[in-house]
Structure formats: C-alpha cells, structure tokens
C-alpha cells in the first residue's frame, strides 16, 4: 500500500535525480490529484499525498528583449497584431484584453479601468501615447462595444 512516508521518499528521490523543486512539486500535485480522484471513486481509503509539504519555489519574472518583441510583432497576423501590441504595452492577460469594452477606456485621462478576470481585483492601467494611438485606430476600424474581441474573431 502507498503511504505518506513512501510518497515523501519518492519526493526526495525525484529531487536527488536533478529535477527542480518546481518540477517535483508538479509531480506531487499530479499524484495528489490522482489519489484525490480515486478516493472520490472509493478505490482508495485515503490520499497519501495529503499533508506532504511542497518545496518553496522562487517565482521567475521574465521580460522579452527588444529583438524578441520585434520578431513577435513581425510574425503576428493582421488580426492578432493589435492584441499583442496591447498586451505588450499594458501587461494585461489575454482574457482581460479580449473583454475590454470602450467604456473601460478613459482616453481623456489615459487610463484603462477593469476588473481582472483571474483575480477579480480592480485594476487601473495608465496608457502610454503609443497605446492611446493603437486603441484610437482600433476604435475607428471596429464598430463594436468591445475593443478587441471583434478583432480576434474577424
């Protein structure tokens, strides 16, 4: 029978093979989900992964270099390019960009007001002149209440 000490030994073994702490954590999360589901189906009596400590992870922040940005933009389709440009200039997630409505955008004060889809937190994003210009062009091209949803689907 698989028990918690066995899972902890497996976790230590994975780490000893050179796998990163993050990778080992992903394996543990998969195992936990596996046993959780089998517990639901009454195939096992308990989840041996429950209570096993995950390794602390350092979040990595990565930025695109100028050459990478230029390459990305050069390879975008006509429809995708405005969405990518808005993402690059705001740092917004794709879902938040596609849900933007014109009434979320305050051109006069150069602000975007939105409720983030993933976190449900309110967010105010300052707009650069480049972003204002891009959004004004999109507004002329599209006759829609949403900014970029129509651009993504046309």
């Amino acid at each position: 029978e698989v028990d918690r000490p066995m899972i902890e030994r497996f976790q230590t073994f994975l780490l000893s093979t050179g796998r990163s702490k993050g990778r080992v954590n992903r394996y543990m999360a998969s195992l936990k989900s596996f046993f959780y589901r089998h517990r639901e189906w009454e195939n096992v009596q308990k989840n041996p992964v429950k209570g096993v400590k995950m390794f602390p992870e350092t979040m990595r922040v990565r930025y695109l270099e100028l050459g990478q940005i230029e390459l990305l933009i050069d390879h975008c389709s006509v429809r995708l390019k405005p969405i990518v440009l808005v993402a690059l200039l705001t740092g917004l997630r794709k879902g938040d960009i596609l849900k933007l409505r014109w009434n979320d955008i305050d051109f006069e004060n150069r602000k975007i007001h939105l409720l983030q889809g993933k976190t449900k937190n309110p967010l105010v994003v300052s707009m650069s002149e480049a972003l204002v210009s891009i959004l004004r062009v999109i507004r002329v091209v599209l006759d829609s209440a949403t900014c970029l949803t129509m651009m993504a689907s046309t």
Side-chain angles (χ1 to χ4, degrees):
E1 181 176 315
V2 178
D3 58 8
R4 185 172 162 181
M6 183 183 290
I7 296 292
E8 288 171 340
R9 285 192 304 275
F10 180 62
Q11 184 183 38
T12 303
F13 166 77
L14 288 172
L15 197 61
S16 73
T17 62
R19 289 173 174 86
S20 69
K21 290 179 180 178
R23 174 61 51 205
V24 173
N25 284 347
R26 299 300 84 67
Y27 288 149
M28 291 297 111
S30 294
L31 274 175
K32 189 174 189 175
S33 177
F34 171 84
F35 280 107
Y36 174 81
R37 189 68 61 212
H38 279 273
R39 180 146 163 56
E40 263 186 358
W41 297 333
E42 299 178 356
N43 294 335
V44 295
Q45 291 192 354
K46 64 179 185 172
N47 185 340
V49 188
K50 187 175 182 181
V52 172
K53 300 276 189 228
M54 299 290 235
F55 293 112
E57 294 182 54
T58 306
M59 296 304 292
R60 183 174 71 140
V61 178
R62 187 176 180 283
Y63 299 97
L64 295 176
E65 294 178 12
L66 183 57
Q68 293 173 309
I69 292 170
E70 291 169 349
L71 196 60
L72 174 63
I73 293 169
D74 288 345
H75 285 84
C76 285
S77 68
V78 172
R79 282 185 254 157
L80 187 58
K81 191 174 284 191
I83 297 166
V84 170
L85 289 171
V86 171
L88 290 167
L89 293 169
T90 62
L92 291 174
R93 293 180 177 99
K94 177 184 76 169
D96 293 332
I97 292 170
L98 295 178
K99 287 184 208 164
L100 276 179
R101 303 184 65 78
W102 291 117
N103 60 2
D104 298 331
I105 300 170
D106 179 355
F107 283 101
E108 187 176 317
N109 295 308
R110 294 170 50 160
K111 303 280 184 199
I112 298 174
H113 301 269
L114 69 141
L115 189 64
Q116 291 179 294
K118 185 174 182 179
T119 64
K120 305 297 183 220
N121 292 328
L123 180 67
V124 178
V125 178
S126 296
M127 294 193 296
S128 65
E129 194 56 48
L131 180 58
V132 169
S133 298
I134 289 166
L135 291 174
R136 286 183 198 265
V137 168
I138 292 169
R139 192 170 197 175
V140 169
V141 171
L142 295 177
D143 184 26
S144 170
T146 55
C147 298
L148 295 163
T149 303
M150 295 299 293
M151 185 67 77
S153 61
T154 57

